[in-house]
């Protein structure tokens, strides 16, 4: 079977996402080393991140999940059922891959606010105006574009994310 233009573009996007995932994982590993969950030196020294998962299951191709974590490696293992306490919403669409991880939030509240706005862009006062520029807010490509757009908004551009 030949691939259509749209399928070729999606394939190129997925390849670039895979490359970005490798780079992000190495950066996260460098950032997270030494910052284990039980070691708190005040809230400013903790690791807070929002992430985008994409389902690797052929039946659920294109399905995504947005979440918050203090430990990306542990969290992806939870989503994939390797360890307990994963999100129940992701159970049926396993396995998952972390496509994007945005980190550097100063507090867990800032990260949770970003997560909520990313999940509900039309409802969020901070993102609503920017979200109207998108034809669709579904799919991995648009969610990545939305996240990068959100990083330029006043609510989050002051952080080094």
């Amino acid at each position: 079977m030949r691939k259509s233009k749209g399928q070729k573009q999606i394939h190129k996007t997925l390849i670039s996402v895979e490359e970005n995932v490798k780079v992000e994982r190495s950066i996260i590993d460098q950032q997270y080393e030494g910052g284990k969950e039980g070691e708190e030196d005040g809230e400013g020294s903790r690791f807070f991140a929002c992430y985008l998962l994409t389902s690797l299951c052929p039946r659920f191709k294109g399905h995504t999940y947005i979440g918050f974590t203090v430990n990306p490696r542990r969290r992806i293992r939870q989503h994939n059922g390797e360890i307990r306490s994963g999100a129940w919403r992701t159970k049926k669409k396993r396995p998952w891959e972390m496509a994007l991880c945005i980190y550097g939030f100063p507090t867990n509240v800032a990260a949770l606010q970003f997560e909520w706005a990313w999940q509900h862009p039309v409802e969020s006062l901070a993102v609503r105006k920017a979200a109207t520029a998108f034809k669709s807010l579904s799919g991995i490509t648009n969610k990545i574009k939305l996240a990068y757009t959100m990083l330029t908004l006043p609510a989050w551009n002051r952080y080094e994310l």
Side-chain angles (χ1 to χ4, degrees), residues 18-159:
E18 288 172 2
E19 291 169 358
N20 288 340
V21 167
K22 290 176 187 172
V23 171
E24 288 290 328
R25 281 186 181 148
S26 66
I27 292 170
I28 288 169
D29 287 345
Q30 291 170 2
Q31 289 278 326
Y32 190 70
E33 282 178 9
K36 303 299 180 208
E37 191 176 345
E39 300 173 8
E40 289 186 48
D41 295 339
E43 206 165 279
S45 65
R46 299 273 317 266
F47 182 91
F48 304 108
C50 291
Y51 59 89
L52 175 68
L53 299 181
T54 183
S55 178
L56 296 177
C57 179
R59 185 174 172 199
F60 299 107
K61 190 172 184 167
H63 287 244
T64 59
Y65 177 85
I66 294 169
F68 159 83
T69 187
V70 295
N71 185 336
R73 284 181 273 172
R74 186 194 75 230
R75 193 70 181 123
I76 189 69
R77 291 182 63 214
Q78 288 174 328
H79 281 293
N80 286 326
E82 295 173 28
I83 55 179
R84 290 187 167 268
S85 302
W88 67 269
R89 263 190 79 225
T90 60
K91 191 172 188 176
K92 292 180 182 174
K93 299 174 185 175
R94 290 176 182 161
W96 292 91
E97 179 180 56
M98 197 170 287
L100 180 67
C101 185
I102 300 171
Y103 58 93
F105 295 96
T107 65
N108 65 331
V109 172
L112 288 166
Q113 288 173 338
F114 185 90
E115 176 200 18
W116 189 88
W118 197 7
Q119 291 171 340
H120 308 93
V122 177
E123 298 169 40
S124 170
L125 294 177
V127 182
R128 185 182 299 166
K129 205 173 201 178
T132 59
F134 289 85
K135 281 185 180 178
S136 170
L137 294 168
S138 63
I140 188 168
T141 306
N142 287 332
K143 289 191 178 163
I144 291 172
K145 287 178 184 177
L146 177 63
Y148 281 108
T149 301
M150 287 172 63
L151 294 174
T152 66
L153 298 176
W156 297 287
N157 70 355
R158 64 181 177 265
Y159 304 135

